[in-house]
Amino acid sequence: MTNIRMCLPYNNYPMMFAKLFLFILTFSFFSVTAQELSGGELLNKAIQYHDPNGAWPGFKGKMQITMSTPDGKDRVSAITMNLPKEYFQVVATKDGVTLSQTVDKDNCELALNGSTDISEDDKKKHRLTCDRATMYKDYYTYLYGLPMKLKDPGTLIAPKTEKRTFKGKTYLVLKATYEKEVGEDVWYFYFDPNTYAMEVYQFYHDESKNDGEYILLTGEQEIAGIKMPKTRAWYYNKDDKYLGTDVLN
């Protein structure tokens, strides 16, 4: 049998062992980091990555989001947020119809194709209500305010993090639940172990049933100093069925 050691040039031994040591050291560091980072520490590192200057509480900005679904019909939404003034507006166009929903503190304004004179039939047909406008406000400020929104009152961050492989990549994972009056879903947030960028999030209504959805985040776009995911692709947890994609333009 050939002596494998004799086949290696002697001068390569130091470099070979140095590389091996570096690999072991890196792997060990990653494992220790995954085990030692608390939920709060991981969240702080993720916020430092996405919002290094603490801009989110004073966020004032506009964004355009194109939602594509399997039926091939896109919805383009122009969104304006001013968090200090408690102002939110979404103007969405789909199939030639434009719906405008504005929440300005405690005031609400609805419009259909630019007109605020909307019949009750049209309000019902297009589901134009102030409750729905508030739902959109909460939806967009939550998703586009992540991970900073995980600091909101009523959010319960699990003290321990975990290392989990998802779609072939290993992440540091943060678990979040909510006080009863805030929400009942269970959320998991997946962060790159080197940069702490948020790349996946996943929620369950009932985790034992594997219901709910997961969202894959790709690309980034900076708005008002905040690194926001550019593309969000939505899937069901139970069967990986594709639901749609939101693209930040």
Side-chain angles (χ1 to χ4, degrees):
M1 181 179 292
T2 303
N3 187 324
I4 296 177
R5 182 175 178 180
M6 294 300 294
C7 295
L8 293 173
Y10 175 82
N11 290 338
N12 282 347
Y13 288 172
M15 183 175 294
M16 178 182 69
F17 288 124
K19 288 181 178 179
L20 180 60
F21 176 75
L22 181 61
F23 171 79
I24 294 172
L25 181 64
T26 302
F27 180 79
S28 300
F29 175 76
F30 174 78
S31 299
V32 171
T33 300
Q35 293 170 5
E36 291 187 353
L37 275 181
S38 70
E41 289 168 339
L42 177 55
L43 177 56
N44 287 338
K45 286 181 178 293
I47 291 174
Q48 178 61 31
Y49 175 83
H50 286 280
D51 185 15
N53 299 312
W56 176 250
F59 181 80
K60 303 173 187 176
K62 296 182 179 181
M63 60 188 79
Q64 181 171 293
I65 300 167
T66 300
M67 184 185 75
S68 302
T69 52
D71 64 9
K73 297 180 179 180
D74 291 352
R75 183 181 71 195
V76 179
S77 300
I79 296 170
T80 303
M81 295 185 197
N82 187 323
L83 297 186
K85 291 189 175 181
E86 301 178 51
Y87 178 90
F88 171 85
Q89 182 185 64
V90 55
V91 180
T93 301
K94 184 178 181 180
D95 294 334
V97 176
T98 299
L99 306 177
S100 175
Q101 300 170 79
T102 305
V103 178
D104 188 357
K105 294 184 179 178
D106 295 329
N107 300 314
C108 167
E109 182 176 274
L110 309 172
L112 171 62
N113 293 327
S115 174
T116 57
D117 185 14
I118 311 169
S119 69
E120 290 302 317
D121 286 344
D122 279 338
K123 285 183 179 179
K124 184 175 181 180
K125 176 182 177 181
H126 297 289
R127 295 189 292 174
L128 274 171
T129 67
C130 286
D131 284 345
R132 192 166 179 80
T134 300
M135 182 204 74
Y136 275 118
K137 174 179 179 281
D138 294 341
Y139 172 84
Y140 282 111
T141 54
Y142 181 78
L143 290 185
Y144 286 86
L146 288 170
M148 294 73 72
K149 289 289 287 179
L150 296 178
K151 290 280 190 176
D152 281 4
T155 306
L156 307 175
I157 301 298
K160 292 184 178 180
T161 59
E162 64 176 299
K163 187 171 64 173
R164 185 184 295 186
T165 300
F166 190 80
K167 302 297 181 184
K169 179 171 178 176
T170 301
Y171 295 96
L172 298 181
V173 181
L174 180 71
K175 180 180 180 180
T177 54
Y178 297 87
E179 293 180 355
K180 191 172 182 180
E181 59 271 20
V182 176
E184 297 181 353
D185 292 343
V186 177
W187 287 72
Y188 292 92
F189 298 88
Y190 296 67
F191 300 99
D192 182 280
N194 298 309
T195 65
Y196 304 105
M198 182 178 63
E199 295 187 356
V200 184
Y201 46 77
Q202 182 177 35
F203 68 88
Y204 298 90
H205 307 304
D206 185 341
E207 196 168 354
S208 67
K209 296 179 180 178
N210 195 33
D211 60 9
E213 301 163 15
Y214 65 87
I215 300 89
L216 304 181
L217 313 173
T218 54
E220 287 181 350
Q221 185 163 325
E222 187 170 313
I223 298 179
I226 298 171
K227 297 187 188 80
M228 296 185 179
K230 183 173 179 61
T231 302
R232 302 168 193 254
W234 299 70
Y235 300 84
Y236 280 131
N237 285 324
K238 61 183 178 182
D239 57 8
D240 294 318
K241 181 180 177 181
Y242 171 67
L243 298 172
T245 300
D246 296 329
V247 179
L248 185 59
N249 303 311

